């Protein structure tokens, strides 16, 4: 099974992050790595990301990496930062205020 990296650019999305990340963690596809890029959020998005990373890392075959940018560069910059660290053959982008219905990753 090929691994897939799901990149999530995050800017002031604390109220959506739990639903977003849980929807990825609960996918039936096992080889998922999540890279969440905090783009200098001014709310508690970074704290939420660290909490979720600690809670879910390694569970259900999923791994979460948190990248914290000190200066806001926008969604494209956040995606490029994550792409530079990519070590899987496939990538998927999910916005921080979205969620994936079950089976989305395996269908794609």
């Amino acid at each position: 099974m090929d691994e897939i990296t799901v990149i999530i650019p995050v800017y002031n999305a604390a109220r959506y992050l739990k639903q977003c990340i849980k929807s990825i963690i609960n996918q039936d596809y096992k080889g998922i790595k999540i890279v969440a890029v905090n783009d200098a959020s001014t709310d508690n998005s970074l704290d939420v990301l660290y909490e979720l990373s600690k809670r879910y890392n390694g569970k259900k075959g999923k791994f979460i990496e948190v990248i914290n940018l000190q200066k806001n560069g926008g969604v494209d910059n956040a995606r490029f930062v994550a792409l530079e660290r990519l070590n899987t053959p496939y990538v998927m982008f999910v916005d921080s205020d979205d969620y994936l219905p079950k089976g989305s990753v395996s269908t794609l």
Side-chain angles (χ1 to χ4, degrees), residues 54-84:
K54 187 186 298 185
R55 183 183 309 161
Y56 293 112
N57 223 359
K59 294 193 173 130
K60 297 185 181 184
K62 313 299 190 300
F63 295 92
I64 303 171
E65 177 182 353
V66 177
I67 300 171
N68 185 34
L69 303 179
Q70 300 300 314
K71 182 179 175 189
N72 181 272
V75 67
D76 289 338
N77 181 64
R79 288 180 177 150
F80 284 123
V81 167
L83 283 170
E84 289 175 351

